[in-house]
Amino acid sequence: MAEATTATDVPAIELEGLAVQDVAQRVTPWDVEGPEVNGVRLAIDYDKLIVQFGTRRIDEAMLERFTKVTGHAPHLFLRRGIFFSHRELDVILDRHEQGKPFYLYTGRGPSRGHMHIGHMLPFVFCKWLQDVFDVPLVVQLTDDEKFLYKSDLKAEQTYQYAVDTVREIAAIGFKPEKTFIFSNMGFMGGAFYRNVLKISRCITYNMARSSFGYTETDHIGKIHFPSIQAAPAFCSTFPTIFGNHTDIPCLIPCGIDQDPYFRLTRDVAKPLKFKKPSLIHGQFLPALQGVTTKMSSSIDSSAIFMDDSPNVIKNKINKHAFSGGPTSLRELEEFGSNPDVDISYQYLTYFVDDDQEIADLAVSYRRGEITSGNMKKRCIEVLQKFVGDFQEREKAITQADVEDFMNPDYPRPFAALAKK
Amino acid sequence: MAEATTATDVPAIELEGLAVQDVAQRVTPWDVEGPEVNGVRLAIDYDKLIVQFGTRRIDEAMLERFTKVTGHAPHLFLRRGIFFSHRELDVILDRHEQGKPFYLYTGRGPSRGHMHIGHMLPFVFCKWLQDVFDVPLVVQLTDDEKFLYKSDLKAEQTYQYAVDTVREIAAIGFKPEKTFIFSNMGFMGGAFYRNVLKISRCITYNMARSSFGYTETDHIGKIHFPSIQAAPAFCSTFPTIFGNHTDIPCLIPCGIDQDPYFRLTRDVAKPLKFKKPSLIHGQFLPALQGVTTKMSSSIDSSAIFMDDSPNVIKNKINKHAFSGGPTSLRELEEFGSNPDVDISYQYLTYFVDDDQEIADLAVSYRRGEITSGNMKKRCIEVLQKFVGDFQEREKAITQADVEDFMNPDYPRPFAALAKK
């Protein structure tokens, strides 16, 4: 700004040379292009990448150390600078020298058809490294990334590309007892993860933010989570239950606070050609302290827990349950009590099936015919039974029962149900 | 703006009443609070939520239809408006009437300790719905969400909360043959997904964006993907290989374009107390058309594929491989050829181990002693052998081999390797 000039200061200049704009090279996981200078595309400048990315060149000293530590002459890819750069390769050489273990990790984004010789480079190099160091290798097939970035691909298709490419990778000469090749879709929860991916591809950052109000310092796990909660709303998430059915909708009973998740879920059903889930929304059970907020696990005195003893239940209700009664007997006779804000009465409406009793309780309470002490007493009785019965049943649940419930392969004959 | 006033127009006003600001109610998946009016917290206004969320009230007509279709009187939660709102419940009733199947889905965010009676509502209601409709139920335990939102929790801890709560849910009275209860961490790839979660919690949207340049219309799958690519860099992702080891680092040979992913991976290693992976970066194999870009699967003529026949390889090199030779014999004798841009020569540097041959070829080529036709011929020979040998090995790979490679439980005795 200090050297600002006015129009009159500027001499007439030759503009011709400026018409062509030099274009910097572009190297990202999705694009590789050398720089363009004066309209001519040049080779990729790898030295520049080392500076730009802040990595280290694999120099002569490193190669000498490599030979010394491993007893092997460097692979031609190292000798010729094809593998040219590193981060903390010295740490690995140190460990190897000290007899400490490490492993190799490489990967591939599987695509239609066969690999080409360019794809061979990391694998040929890994095989050599595995032979030299005698270490395990894990190979990640990023069928999920392919699917996320190519909107024309289907999830099953990219998964198939991954399976198809295993044969090719095996042909490099890896030994199965040292090499684990996995597809992200296959290794991470099969049908479940596949549906998570399909859903996540339908929800933009903008959509999720307007539903949940994320900020830019929120972590990417949060931002992605709506895909996880949406997946079970579609029957194809559960192939062992629903087989090949894709047209079976679900009904979701949930607290009304979960609606934002399932609104998004319903929105993505259409583009995915899945059945929209239906919803039933529930109100919250109020906290012991009153109807203005819900019972909360993190505030012990707000809640009756399922492992509370009869005595604890009694004390909590007596001590904490907000009462709709007046403060004196005279007021009680004159004005009656208010069941609408009385927590004991409110709980009874959740746990007593008999409509007549509920109606009678409200009327008598308003008339001042029963005290809030009586109301608490009835509530204690009902909750002690509800919680006590639950505790009895819980005692009877075995570890085997738990495993059956959590076993996706446990026989759940949905086909039989569907036929009726 | 049209009614703008100056200071002198404004009469002295009584400000007292303005000191208390009314606060709207807040109902999100993470917070529930009734509205505050004149400093007093009121009960949650559920009617307002119906309008705000755009759902429908479960009215008398709906309850009558429910009774007619199911032959059951509505549950007390329905009669008393505890489950008060819905989305397309009529669609489910239609299906049931027509004998078409559906299923139920509910869930719970597991936490330390026992459930409270408020947690029972959706389960008690679901059990009743399951009994009335005789349909399957899936129960999602969002141990992952809990972990993502509570920075003080450990992944193994939240997973344990999920397992612990299954017994309680079972005690509601669900039958295993109709009910699948799953923890997201357990059902979706166990240790793999757990590490994905840990990583995703360390990467903010801002960090990911500055690495990959996302925009706000990018979908949440993309934004989350760096967590997936990072996970295999940590040995605890593979318990069947590394057992309880958590301190075994890995070395990642990869194309330099993948560095942004693994820079993030290295950044998250420290807060997670995982070993930082080391990297070796490779250059790209150039396209047949020249050194300015890399071989690409999507451009057939840019690449030699691993299933190309000897004849196809020959034709591709002859037709497409960019040549560093001059255009006439006279020029050749006078100026020689340039191996630096000659693709056939470049490929030979990748696939011929003999350093002497590579050096001799370059010198002779520059001197004009060998033609670009000769260079192509040698390249064709080398690539035909490389690709041919690969095809031989590939033929020998069986389906069982593929399954062994992809089987996480296939014996890979890392313990033995680690001991040496």
Side-chain angles (χ1 to χ4, degrees):
Chain A
M1 290 297 270
E3 301 189 292
T5 54
T6 63
T8 51
D9 293 333
V10 181
I13 53 161
E14 176 57 69
L15 282 169
E16 208 172 346
L18 299 178
V20 174
Q21 287 215 328
D22 291 352
V23 180
Q25 66 183 354
R26 197 169 42 170
V27 175
T28 73
W30 311 281
D31 266 318
V32 172
E33 250 179 5
E36 201 179 297
V37 177
N38 290 325
V40 178
R41 179 80 61 192
L42 302 183
I44 291 151
D45 182 341
Y46 288 102
D47 289 331
K48 201 166 176 180
L49 283 180
I50 286 181
V51 176
Q52 188 185 329
F53 286 7
T55 68
R56 300 233 166 155
R57 174 167 288 285
I58 298 177
D59 57 14
E60 277 308 312
M62 178 64 86
L63 291 185
E64 272 167 36
R65 174 109 205 278
F66 192 100
T67 310
K68 190 176 152 247
V69 167
T70 65
H72 285 75
H75 189 268
L76 69 102
F77 288 175
L78 289 169
R79 299 200 305 272
R80 300 196 188 135
I82 290 167
F83 277 84
F84 71 109
S85 155
H86 76 102
R87 290 184 189 269
E88 292 189 333
L89 176 57
D90 40 325
V91 170
I92 295 293
L93 293 178
D94 289 347
R95 287 187 70 92
H96 185 70
E97 210 168 25
Q98 295 155 17
K100 291 184 185 161
F102 73 97
Y103 68 106
L104 296 163
Y105 161 32
T106 191
R108 152 163 171 71
S111 56
R112 187 194 307 275
H114 289 261
M115 290 202 275
H116 59 55
I117 53 172
H119 294 133
M120 290 290 116
L121 302 189
F123 292 117
V124 166
F125 191 49
C126 272
K127 168 153 172 47
W128 182 78
L129 288 170
Q130 190 180 49
D131 291 345
V132 165
F133 289 107
D134 193 26
V135 289
L137 164 69
V138 296
V139 182
Q140 180 184 57
L141 303 175
T142 54
D143 44 4
D144 52 349
E145 185 190 30
K146 261 281 162 7
F147 173 76
L148 292 170
Y149 276 83
K150 302 260 180 189
S151 60
D152 56 324
L153 285 179
K154 292 194 189 312
E156 288 68 23
Q157 204 178 355
T158 21
Y159 175 63
Q160 195 52 51
Y161 295 165
V163 173
D164 291 346
T165 207
V166 173
R167 175 185 294 268
E168 291 189 301
I169 294 170
I172 313 284
F174 298 114
K175 294 179 195 76
E177 67 275 14
K178 278 190 208 152
T179 309
F180 177 41
I181 306 173
F182 61 98
S183 127
N184 285 339
M185 287 195 194
F187 189 35
M188 196 157 70
F192 185 11
Y193 184 49
R194 239 164 284 173
N195 274 354
V196 166
L197 288 171
K198 290 180 195 178
I199 293 159
S200 71
R201 214 167 64 165
C202 296
I203 303 175
T204 65
Y205 177 71
N206 265 342
M207 285 165 68
R209 187 179 49 187
S210 73
S211 291
F212 301 105
Y214 304 126
T215 71
E216 301 193 342
T217 56
D218 272 323
H219 59 68
I220 60 179
K222 271 189 199 181
I223 294 167
H224 176 250
F225 182 74
S227 321
I228 312 279
Q229 183 149 334
F234 305 122
C235 63
S236 50
T237 298
F238 306 102
T240 59
I241 304 178
F242 300 104
N244 292 325
H245 292 281
T246 56
D247 59 346
I248 299 170
C250 80
L251 173 64
I252 306 175
C254 62
I256 185 83
D257 58 318
Q258 297 296 309
D259 190 67
Y261 278 125
F262 296 122
R263 243 180 286 158
L264 269 182
T265 306
R266 287 167 52 86
D267 288 346
V268 304
K270 200 178 171 187
L272 293 173
K273 299 196 177 77
F274 287 157
K275 283 276 177 190
K276 258 190 195 182
S278 295
L279 298 170
I280 301 186
H281 303 104
Q283 297 189 359
F284 312 109
L285 190 71
L288 281 161
Q289 285 70 25
V291 294
T292 64
T293 186
K294 68 172 178 176
M295 202 171 263
S296 161
S297 284
S298 46
I299 305 165
D300 186 75
S301 66
S302 82
I304 306 289
F305 289 93
M306 298 312 287
D307 63 331
D308 282 349
S309 67
N311 215 35
V312 167
I313 293 174
K314 184 177 147 201
N315 291 339
K316 277 187 178 171
I317 301 277
N318 281 333
K319 188 167 170 197
H320 299 296
F322 186 85
S323 157
T327 48
S328 71
L329 196 62
R330 206 186 54 78
E331 272 180 34
L332 177 69
E333 280 161 3
E334 197 166 335
F335 306 112
S337 300
N338 181 5
D340 299 341
V341 298
D342 188 282
I343 286 297
S344 300
Y345 174 78
Q346 288 300 316
Y347 287 179
L348 289 170
T349 68
Y350 285 75
F351 295 100
V352 170
D353 191 46
D354 183 343
D355 290 343
Q356 196 56 56
E357 180 185 347
I358 293 297
D360 290 349
L361 277 174
V363 170
S364 317
Y365 203 46
R366 284 192 207 282
R367 285 188 188 144
E369 291 166 7
I370 53 173
T371 63
S372 62
N374 293 136
M375 191 66 87
K376 286 192 170 188
K377 199 166 160 245
R378 178 69 181 129
C379 181
I380 289 164
E381 207 173 78
V382 165
L383 290 185
Q384 280 174 340
K385 179 162 169 36
F386 179 78
V387 172
D389 288 353
F390 174 88
Q391 289 172 356
E392 284 297 304
R393 289 194 306 269
E394 202 196 341
K395 265 185 222 132
I397 304 285
T398 66
Q399 182 55 28
D401 292 334
V402 169
E403 280 162 21
D404 286 346
F405 273 112
M406 299 192 80
N407 180 0
D409 297 321
Y410 185 91
R412 294 182 178 85
F414 180 76
L417 285 177
K419 255 181 236 150
K420 72 170 182 187
Chain B
M1 291 297 271
E3 301 188 290
T5 55
T6 64
T8 52
D9 293 333
V10 180
I13 53 162
E14 175 57 71
L15 282 168
E16 210 173 342
L18 300 177
V20 175
Q21 287 215 330
D22 290 353
V23 180
Q25 66 184 353
R26 198 170 42 171
V27 176
T28 73
W30 310 282
D31 267 317
V32 173
E33 252 180 4
E36 199 178 300
V37 177
N38 289 325
V40 179
R41 179 79 62 190
L42 303 182
I44 292 150
D45 182 343
Y46 289 104
D47 289 332
K48 202 166 175 179
L49 282 180
I50 287 182
V51 176
Q52 187 187 328
F53 285 7
T55 67
R56 301 232 166 157
R57 174 168 287 286
I58 299 177
D59 57 13
E60 277 308 311
M62 177 63 87
L63 291 185
E64 273 168 34
R65 174 112 202 277
F66 191 99
T67 309
K68 190 175 153 249
V69 166
T70 64
H72 285 74
H75 189 268
L76 69 104
F77 288 175
L78 289 169
R79 300 200 306 272
R80 303 202 184 130
I82 290 167
F83 278 84
F84 71 108
S85 154
H86 76 101
R87 291 182 189 270
E88 293 189 334
L89 177 56
D90 41 325
V91 169
I92 295 294
L93 293 178
D94 289 348
R95 287 187 70 92
H96 185 70
E97 210 167 24
Q98 295 156 18
K100 291 184 183 159
F102 73 97
Y103 69 107
L104 295 164
Y105 161 31
T106 190
R108 151 160 172 73
S111 57
R112 187 195 306 275
H114 290 261
M115 291 202 274
H116 58 56
I117 54 172
H119 293 133
M120 290 288 115
L121 302 188
F123 292 117
V124 167
F125 190 49
C126 273
K127 164 148 175 52
W128 181 79
L129 288 170
Q130 191 182 50
D131 290 345
V132 165
F133 290 108
D134 193 26
V135 290
L137 164 69
V138 296
V139 182
Q140 181 184 57
L141 303 175
T142 55
D143 45 4
D144 52 348
E145 185 190 30
K146 259 284 164 1
F147 174 75
L148 291 170
Y149 276 83
K150 302 260 180 188
S151 60
D152 56 324
L153 286 179
K154 294 196 187 311
E156 288 67 23
Q157 203 179 356
T158 20
Y159 175 63
Q160 195 52 50
Y161 295 166
V163 173
D164 290 345
T165 206
V166 173
R167 175 185 292 268
E168 291 189 302
I169 295 170
I172 314 283
F174 298 114
K175 295 179 194 76
E177 68 274 16
K178 278 190 206 151
T179 309
F180 176 41
I181 306 173
F182 61 97
S183 127
N184 285 339
M185 286 195 195
F187 189 35
M188 194 156 70
F192 185 11
Y193 184 50
R194 238 163 285 173
N195 274 353
V196 167
L197 288 171
K198 291 180 196 179
I199 294 160
S200 71
R201 213 167 66 164
C202 297
I203 304 175
T204 65
Y205 177 71
N206 265 342
M207 285 165 69
R209 187 179 50 189
S210 74
S211 291
F212 301 106
Y214 305 125
T215 71
E216 300 192 343
T217 57
D218 272 323
H219 59 68
I220 59 178
K222 269 188 201 182
I223 293 167
H224 177 250
F225 182 74
S227 321
I228 311 280
Q229 182 147 336
F234 305 121
C235 63
S236 50
T237 299
F238 307 102
T240 60
I241 303 178
F242 300 104
N244 292 324
H245 291 282
T246 56
D247 59 346
I248 299 170
C250 80
L251 173 64
I252 306 175
C254 62
I256 185 82
D257 58 319
Q258 297 296 309
D259 190 67
Y261 278 124
F262 296 121
R263 242 179 289 158
L264 269 184
T265 306
R266 287 167 52 86
D267 288 345
V268 305
K270 199 178 172 188
L272 293 173
K273 300 195 177 76
F274 287 158
K275 282 276 177 191
K276 259 191 193 179
S278 295
L279 298 169
I280 301 187
H281 304 104
Q283 298 190 359
F284 313 110
L285 190 71
L288 281 160
Q289 285 71 24
V291 293
T292 64
T293 187
K294 69 171 179 176
M295 202 171 262
S296 161
S297 284
S298 47
I299 305 165
D300 186 75
S301 66
S302 83
I304 307 289
F305 289 92
M306 298 313 288
D307 62 331
D308 282 349
S309 67
N311 216 34
V312 167
I313 293 173
K314 183 176 148 201
N315 290 339
K316 277 187 177 171
I317 301 278
N318 280 335
K319 190 166 169 198
H320 298 296
F322 185 85
S323 158
T327 47
S328 72
L329 197 61
R330 204 186 55 77
E331 274 179 32
L332 178 69
E333 282 162 2
E334 196 164 336
F335 303 112
S337 301
N338 181 5
D340 299 340
V341 298
D342 188 281
I343 286 295
S344 300
Y345 175 77
Q346 288 299 316
Y347 288 178
L348 288 170
T349 67
Y350 285 75
F351 295 100
V352 169
D353 191 45
D354 182 343
D355 291 342
Q356 195 57 56
E357 181 185 349
I358 293 297
D360 291 349
L361 277 174
V363 169
S364 317
Y365 203 46
R366 284 192 207 281
R367 286 189 188 142
E369 290 166 9
I370 53 175
T371 64
S372 62
N374 293 134
M375 193 66 86
K376 287 192 169 189
K377 197 164 160 247
R378 179 68 181 128
C379 182
I380 289 164
E381 208 172 79
V382 165
L383 290 184
Q384 280 175 339
K385 176 157 171 39
F386 179 77
V387 172
D389 288 352
F390 174 88
Q391 289 172 357
E392 283 298 304
R393 288 193 305 269
E394 202 197 341
K395 263 184 223 133
I397 303 285
T398 65
Q399 181 56 28
D401 292 334
V402 169
E403 281 161 21
D404 286 346
F405 273 112
M406 299 191 82
N407 179 1
D409 297 321
Y410 185 91
R412 293 183 178 85
F414 180 75
L417 285 177
K419 254 181 240 152
K420 71 170 183 186

